[in-house]
Amino acid sequence: MIKRALSLSAYGWIMNSNRRINTKQMPEGVWDGLGVEIAHKIELLSAFTDEKGKMTRLYLGPAHRRSVDQVLAWMREAGLEAHLDAAGNVIGRRPGNGEIQKSLMLGSHIDTVRNGGIYDGTLGVLSAIAVASRLHRAGVQLPFDLEVVAFGDEEGVRYPTTLSGSRALAGKFDAKVLDEVDADGISRREALLAFGCDPDKIGELARDPTKVLGYLEVHIEQGPVLEANDLAVGIVTGISGANRGRVRIEGETGHAGTVPMALRKDALATAAEMILAVEREARARAEHDAGIVATVGRIEVPNAAVNTVPGVVEFTIDLRAPTDKTRSETRERIALALETIAEVRGLRADVGFSYEAPAAASDPHLIEQLAAALENTGQPAFKLPSGAGHDAMSFSGHIPAAMLFVRSSAGVSHRPEEYTSVEDIDVAGRVLLAFVAGLAGYE
Ligand code: GLV
Ligand code: MN
Ligand code: MN
């Protein structure tokens, strides 16, 4: 199956030795029916939701709990030693033959946004389990350990910061986030304990980079580029960096019928002007720096009423850019614009950016290996950047990471209409299996 072998130098990097590429053959049949197997499990997992009739699975919630149990069962069926770790990640491990004392990590996440789609995250987890299962059933021994990871905190819907599970494995977990609270006042620490995880042990999850070959994540593209190019899959060159911010405006609550227009301190009208300023700043920068995007996705007006001048408003900002310089400059311009609006209107505004994830370039050696896997499965090695955030970005600068994108129908994601065909899932499954086989020296 595998036609193109890697150059010895790239292979030597992966293996950290001068081991010769051998010509072991993958057993017959391992490649067949991957798409159907993965798509079927994606459908089954979609039954676990926190909101009936919608795909909503928030970190450490009831549907996440049931999904963890299902994923543990599927991992064990696939011959993996599986457990739930201290951060709420499901980890499955298949020991290698001991020749290379390192592990290759494959995975993605099983949490979702509210009323999202069924493929975002789950595709990568279930593709990795399917690959492990094929190797197990065929009795294929790998020279390295294989790990499958189902992260639980990629969307960051429940708590203000996100990627806590992958950051824990990357040794970048910040214990301060344990004090963050959700909309019901439940802290991360409390939610983890109720889930059966020990928050005080998260620091111990950090992987020794010398013991990890790399992390590869299969994920839907969530954009229109692959479809526009008539391609099933593509290699991700890098992931945009991101900031999350929160703005709190304090004006004066008043009677809608009695406070004259000139005397008002309307926090909602101020927020409206600010939201347009966020859009204006990002649009202006995007004229020169493609890929910069800013979004106000959520706004709250406490005690809102039709006949009350709003006194307090809070809204979120999500800012992303392919380079950290563009992002930090735009962040400063947005903050200045919002503070100026508040000053001119005579209201108080607190503009804070708490969450930050730097831009992450994919590892060149893993890209090369992935390109070989694409070629060997009959796919062009098309490359594209990622505007969306992913667990892979947590490993940047610590553990080599790369991603394979799979075509999203009409580029739609974070909506129930999200769709990726069984045929494209099959291509992705084969590429992932070819990637693992290639690293292990199979032909
Ligand atoms: C996750 O989908 C994100 O990019 O925020
Ligand atoms: Mn995702
Ligand atoms: Mn998502």
Side-chain angles (χ1 to χ4, degrees):
M1 181 69 194
I2 307 293
K3 295 179 215 98
R4 191 186 124 188
L6 269 186
S7 69
L8 272 172
S9 59
Y11 195 71
W13 167 81
I14 291 286
M15 299 308 183
N16 202 14
S17 75
N18 290 326
R19 186 170 171 273
R20 284 163 58 90
I21 295 175
N22 65 34
T23 53
K24 294 178 284 188
Q25 298 280 334
M26 286 296 270
E28 287 283 306
V30 286
W31 308 93
D32 300 338
L34 273 165
V36 172
E37 180 180 328
I38 297 163
H40 180 58
K41 288 204 166 87
I42 291 173
E43 286 288 339
L44 292 177
L45 204 65
S46 73
F48 303 133
T49 176
D50 293 323
E51 290 183 290
K52 203 161 181 289
K54 296 178 179 170
M55 185 68 269
T56 301
R57 197 157 54 224
L58 302 195
Y59 179 46
L60 306 177
H64 184 203
R65 176 73 251 176
R66 293 170 67 206
S67 301
V68 163
D69 292 338
Q70 179 62 81
V71 168
L72 281 168
W74 281 334
M75 282 182 172
R76 287 172 185 145
E77 265 173 36
L80 298 159
E81 298 158 4
H83 71 280
L84 176 69
D85 78 10
N89 303 316
V90 193
I91 312 272
R93 190 177 189 91
R94 180 168 198 266
N97 66 11
E99 199 177 327
I100 297 154
Q101 303 274 319
K102 298 186 181 202
S103 65
L104 172 68
M105 293 198 289
L106 309 176
S108 191
H109 62 99
I110 53 172
D111 60 319
T112 73
V113 292
R114 287 198 172 88
N115 198 21
I118 69 172
Y119 300 87
D120 179 356
T122 56
L123 171 64
V125 173
L126 299 173
S127 305
I129 292 176
V131 164
S133 161
R134 295 309 171 98
L135 298 172
H136 175 61
R137 290 204 306 252
V140 173
Q141 271 273 299
L142 298 176
F144 44 79
D145 295 354
L146 184 71
E147 279 191 280
V148 177
V149 189
F151 296 109
D153 185 25
E154 191 259 8
E155 300 291 5
V157 174
R158 182 165 178 187
Y159 292 104
T161 61
T162 188
L163 302 179
S164 62
S166 42
R167 284 183 167 189
L169 298 199
K172 298 177 182 171
F173 181 76
D174 178 358
K176 283 206 284 289
V177 303
L178 292 173
D179 298 324
E180 288 181 343
V181 289
D182 68 6
D184 299 320
I186 301 169
S187 71
R188 258 183 204 272
R189 177 181 291 283
E190 289 165 333
L192 280 160
L193 286 168
F195 210 70
C197 301
D198 183 350
D200 294 326
K201 295 241 159 71
I202 295 180
E204 295 168 23
L205 299 178
R207 296 304 171 89
D208 174 353
T210 66
K211 295 273 186 286
V212 183
L213 289 171
Y215 170 77
L216 182 73
E217 178 165 353
V218 175
H219 200 285
I220 55 166
E221 182 203 336
Q222 309 181 274
V225 176
L226 290 173
E227 191 170 75
N229 285 277
D230 201 16
L231 291 170
V233 291
I235 298 170
V236 176
T237 49
I239 305 172
S240 282
N243 278 112
R244 285 183 177 191
R246 195 162 181 91
V247 180
R248 179 178 168 88
I249 307 166
E250 289 183 16
E252 255 168 44
T253 308
H255 192 295
T258 61
V259 186
M261 295 309 286
L263 298 182
R264 290 186 180 202
K265 292 200 170 160
D266 184 330
L268 188 51
T270 306
E273 196 176 331
M274 288 183 174
I275 292 167
L276 292 177
V278 171
E279 185 187 49
R280 190 177 58 243
E281 291 298 336
R283 273 196 183 170
R285 188 71 193 235
E287 281 178 22
H288 310 286
D289 294 289
I292 183 141
V293 285
T295 308
V296 175
R298 187 165 175 173
I299 183 162
E300 283 148 40
V301 187
N303 308 314
V306 62
N307 55 354
T308 298
V309 179
V312 173
V313 169
E314 289 196 7
F315 65 86
T316 57
I317 301 176
D318 177 304
L319 174 67
R320 307 179 190 220
T323 71
D324 293 335
K325 181 172 180 290
T326 311
R327 182 170 47 82
S328 62
E329 287 172 4
T330 310
R331 189 184 60 220
E332 294 315 311
R333 284 192 63 89
I334 288 174
L336 183 65
L338 303 196
E339 280 154 12
T340 306
I341 291 167
E343 203 178 312
V344 169
R345 284 176 165 263
L347 287 86
R348 270 196 312 282
D350 178 34
V351 182
F353 287 91
S354 51
Y355 170 78
E356 173 150 41
S362 298
D363 179 77
H365 297 290
L366 288 180
I367 286 186
E368 194 183 340
Q369 181 70 28
L370 200 46
L374 279 154
E375 201 177 297
N376 291 332
T377 46
Q379 304 297 316
F382 181 82
K383 298 195 172 90
L384 72 170
S386 172
H390 297 286
D391 287 295
M393 69 200 299
S394 296
F395 296 107
S396 180
H398 192 69
I399 285 169
M403 292 188 74
L404 179 75
F405 269 176
V406 191
R407 173 164 45 193
S408 290
S409 174
V412 162
S413 185
H414 283 189
R415 276 170 40 191
E417 296 82 7
E418 185 178 279
Y419 176 71
T420 292
S421 70
V422 179
E423 291 76 19
D424 288 352
I425 292 174
D426 192 67
V427 172
R430 293 162 69 88
V431 171
L432 185 62
L433 182 51
F435 173 86
V436 176
L439 275 184
Y442 278 83
E443 211 177 65

